[in-house]
Every structure is written in structure tokens, then in C-alpha cells.
Amino acid sequence: MIPEDHPRYQSLLSREKIVDAYKSGILADAGMIAHGRGEAFDYLIGEKTTATARKSIKTAAAVLLLAKNPVISVNGNTAALVSSEIVEMAGILNAKIEINLFYRTEERIKAILKVLNRAGAKEVLGTENEDLKHIEGLNHPRGDVSSEGIYKADVIMVPLEDGDRTEALVKSGKLVIAVDLNPLSRTAMTASITIVDNITRSIPCLIENVLKLKNRDRKELKKIINNFNNVNNLKDSLRVMLNSINEF
Ligand code: PTJ
């Protein structure tokens, strides 16, 4: 039981979800380490969605609304923290949901599928019932993807992705939206759009932006995208972190 008035309530709540997900076989062992690393960076941005992150979130919303075939990739940490939000967002965007794991095992796929179904997902790709295709340039099995999902997607959202796979996806011509609290990770630097924010805050904020931009014309959405530069946005995120140290 975490008291709601605890100053680190949200952070402790996430920790609890991560530990529960680990115990129920959803999370990879390394998912705990990844979460801890994320927490450290979150601390440096003040555990809030910065103006810089809002810019990338707005751009991601525009990209997702213009996508012909958007796919949201789900791994263990994402399923543990934001499964309901992912299902809600996929519904609004008419996007596909695909389980795509770095540490892929049949047991974890089943456990994550259960969580997504419980959150209301009707169709989930990337499970063991499918004939998976392989992305060029990646060793088995983390390059295995659904032929109906990531394989033919034009836009892929990959919260907490690894650098190799982001690189391979971008190389294969996909537009990749990453959520990564570490602005210096290879994923952050390789993705087309990087949201430097906690997934627990950025997915709800992304849903808000999608709803706000939903009825805007294509020209306006394209203008938002053209005004965005990922490298500059990452530099701004680093400045936010440095300033938080200077303000100390
Ligand atoms: O479920 P699987 O098998 O696909 O494995 C998932 C993990 C995350 C274990 C795997 O992809 C991995 O090892 O990732 P990395 O290389 O540790 O990268 C994870 C990145 O996510 C790090 O840069 C963290 O800072 C960042 N991160 C961690 N928690 C969050 C986060 N970013 C946003 N929100 C978070 N809550």
C-alpha cells in the first residue's frame, strides 16, 4: 500500500507494477534494470512532461494520424505500465498492436497477450499463432515480426526499444517513433521521432494530442512534422537535464 500523498507516489506505483509484472512473467529480467535506468533520467527532467517532450509528442500524433498502416509495438515494460492506454490509443488511431520482444519466449508472449486482452484488445499481432517474418540485419528471434503488422507498417511506435532494432526498422524504410527517457541511447538517436518522457505520462499525453489534432487537415499536420527536428529536440532534452543540475 502506497499512501497517495507520498511525494514519490507515481514513481513508487510504477515500481510496484514493474515488480508485479516481473512476478507474473510479463517482464524480462532485464526489464527491471531498464526501468531503473529510466527512473534516473526521469529524475533529471523533474518527473514531468517537459515542453520539449510535448513538441515531440505533438509531432508523433501528427505522424500517427497521417500514417496509412500504423503499428504500436508492445514489450514487457510497456505491457506492465500502460496496457490500457495502448489499447485505447490503438482504437482511436485504428492502429494495430503487435507484441515484439527483445527477450522473446512463448511464455512471455502468452502472459503479455493476456494483459492486452484484459485491457480490451481484440486483435493482437506477433503471437505464436502466426507465421512471423524476419527483419533484415537482426539475429533471431528479436527480428521476428508479424507480416500483417510491423513488416508492412509505414509508421511504428516502439516504446522502450533497443538500438539495433530501431536502426534496422529505420533502415527498412519505416518511420519510427520511440519513447525513451535516455536522450543519448542509440534508440533515441536513431529513431525518426524520440519522445524523451516516461511512457506512463507520454502515452496519455499522446492520446490527448491525437484527439486534438484528429480533425485538422493534412496540410496542417504536415507543417507540424516539417517543423520538427529530432536531433535538435534531443539536444533540448539534454539541456533540460543540465539545467536541472544547475538549478540545484
Ligand atoms: O520486454 P522485452 O523482452 O522486449 O525487453 C524490454 C527491455 C526494455 C528490457 C529491452 O528492450 C532493453 O534491454 O532495453 P534497454 O536497452 O535497457 O533500453 C530501455 C530504455 O528505456 C533505456 O534507455 C531506459 O532509459 C528507457 N526507459 C526505461 N523505463 C522507461 C524508459 N523510457 C520511458 N519510459 C519508461 N518508463
Side-chain angles (χ1 to χ4, degrees):
M1 286 296 287
I2 307 161
E4 278 187 39
D5 60 350
H6 192 287
R8 307 194 51 76
Y9 176 72
Q10 289 304 336
S11 169
L12 293 173
L13 198 67
S14 289
R15 276 192 179 188
E16 202 170 83
K17 286 184 182 171
I18 287 287
V19 172
D20 286 350
Y22 176 71
K23 286 180 185 160
S24 57
I26 291 161
L27 210 75
D29 298 6
M32 293 244 204
I33 299 165
H35 184 80
R37 183 148 47 142
E39 275 190 347
F41 284 104
D42 205 11
Y43 207 84
L44 288 174
I45 58 168
E47 294 175 319
K48 58 178 190 289
T49 305
T50 64
T52 310
R54 282 184 198 283
K55 209 167 160 183
S56 55
I57 290 171
K58 187 174 177 185
T59 310
V63 165
L64 284 163
L65 284 166
L66 286 178
K68 288 193 180 75
N69 206 350
V71 172
I72 304 167
S73 177
V74 174
N75 65 6
N77 292 59
T78 309
L81 295 174
V82 284
S83 45
S84 302
E85 292 85 344
I86 292 287
V87 174
E88 183 188 348
M89 186 168 75
I92 298 167
L93 287 164
N94 204 9
K96 290 173 183 147
I97 297 176
E98 175 166 346
I99 302 172
N100 192 228
L101 304 182
F102 188 89
Y103 302 101
R104 191 181 175 96
T105 66
E106 210 171 309
E107 292 71 33
R108 286 191 63 220
I109 297 278
K110 274 189 197 147
I112 293 170
L113 179 62
K114 212 162 132 188
V115 168
L116 289 169
N117 286 337
R118 227 186 285 140
K122 301 236 162 31
E123 192 191 9
V124 177
L125 301 172
T127 65
E128 299 300 310
N129 310 323
E130 264 182 86
D131 242 355
L132 300 173
K133 291 228 179 210
H134 200 76
I135 310 171
E136 287 271 311
L138 281 174
N139 292 333
H140 186 81
R142 64 200 172 109
D144 290 343
V145 296
S146 162
S147 55
E148 287 307 302
I150 290 178
Y151 197 74
K152 69 173 192 189
D154 54 344
V155 175
I156 307 166
M157 175 149 197
V158 285
L160 277 80
E161 184 58 290
D162 79 281
D164 270 8
R165 208 162 38 181
T166 306
E167 207 169 349
L169 290 172
V170 170
K171 264 195 190 146
S172 67
K174 320 273 188 199
L175 206 144
V176 177
I177 301 166
V179 183
D180 194 331
L181 277 158
N182 177 5
L184 292 173
S185 76
R186 220 149 43 82
T187 295
M189 296 206 273
T190 322
S192 324
I193 298 167
T194 306
I195 299 168
V196 180
D197 193 21
N198 200 313
I199 40 166
T200 56
R201 296 187 302 268
S202 51
I203 304 295
C205 186
L206 184 53
I207 293 173
E208 262 174 46
N209 275 265
V210 166
L211 292 172
K212 218 187 295 169
L213 297 177
K214 213 170 164 221
N215 298 319
R216 305 277 174 91
D217 61 37
R218 294 177 65 84
K219 229 166 111 186
E220 203 178 329
L221 296 179
K222 278 188 183 158
K223 202 169 149 197
I224 295 171
I225 298 165
N226 290 338
N227 281 337
F228 182 81
N229 179 301
N230 203 45
V231 174
N232 289 343
N233 195 266
L234 288 174
K235 284 182 183 167
D236 286 344
S237 298
L238 272 174
R239 273 186 212 109
V240 170
M241 293 180 182
L242 284 173
N243 285 341
S244 83
I245 294 167
N246 290 337
E247 278 164 18
F248 190 68

